[in-house]
Amino acid sequence: MCSPYCPKNSAKYWVRKRVPKELKAAVGQTEIKRSLGTTDPREARRLAPIVCAEIDPIITKARRSLTMDVSDVQALSGEYLRERLSEIKTDTVKQNWDSGTFSLVLERLTEASL
């Protein structure tokens, strides 16, 4: 269950999802929290399932990590690299980086991972 709540020290709504006991060591926390970025309770109720769905893969990956072999670790690291590069690319667009500079950085990151 993942429902919105508004902490006393924040005006914005958040969601939290409890991490199963057996995964606490892998995840590194007892619960995962995410801001919904809104102060409107209706909007928070609408956004909560979407943000909670983003938390589920974290728990799934942690569960998989308990039974991984070398090929699983390599696949997961490749998956992480693709996700991280995508995040970096999104940030560069938001920050109006020069596309030439980004291409150079991307090449170096890609080469380093091979």
Side-chain angles (χ1 to χ4, degrees):
M1 181 76 172
C2 195
S3 57
Y5 72 100
C6 191
K8 291 179 182 179
N9 63 349
S10 175
K12 294 187 179 184
Y13 281 85
W14 289 66
V15 291
R16 63 181 163 211
K17 193 161 196 172
R18 190 183 61 77
V19 175
K21 280 184 181 180
E22 68 273 11
L23 301 178
K24 286 181 185 175
V27 175
Q29 44 194 357
T30 57
E31 61 184 13
I32 300 172
K33 301 175 188 175
R34 296 286 185 266
S35 172
L36 296 174
T38 184
T39 57
D40 179 33
R42 284 189 201 142
E43 182 71 2
R45 284 191 296 273
R46 186 187 71 76
L47 291 172
I50 297 166
V51 175
C52 287
E54 294 171 2
I55 295 173
D56 289 336
I58 296 169
I59 293 173
T60 300
K61 286 178 185 178
R63 186 168 275 118
R64 276 193 343 212
S65 74
L66 297 179
T67 59
M68 292 196 312
D69 61 11
V70 173
S71 63
D72 292 329
V73 171
Q74 288 173 336
L76 191 58
S77 65
E79 184 179 324
Y80 170 78
L81 177 64
R82 282 186 297 279
E83 288 175 8
R84 187 65 187 118
L85 288 175
S86 177
E87 290 170 4
I88 291 170
K89 187 175 182 179
T90 301
D91 287 345
T92 61
V93 170
K94 287 179 184 175
Q95 297 172 10
N96 297 321
W97 278 29
D98 174 9
S99 62
T101 304
F102 174 70
S103 296
L104 181 61
V105 171
L106 184 60
E107 281 179 28
R108 289 182 181 166
L109 285 171
T110 307
E111 288 172 6
S113 66
L114 298 177

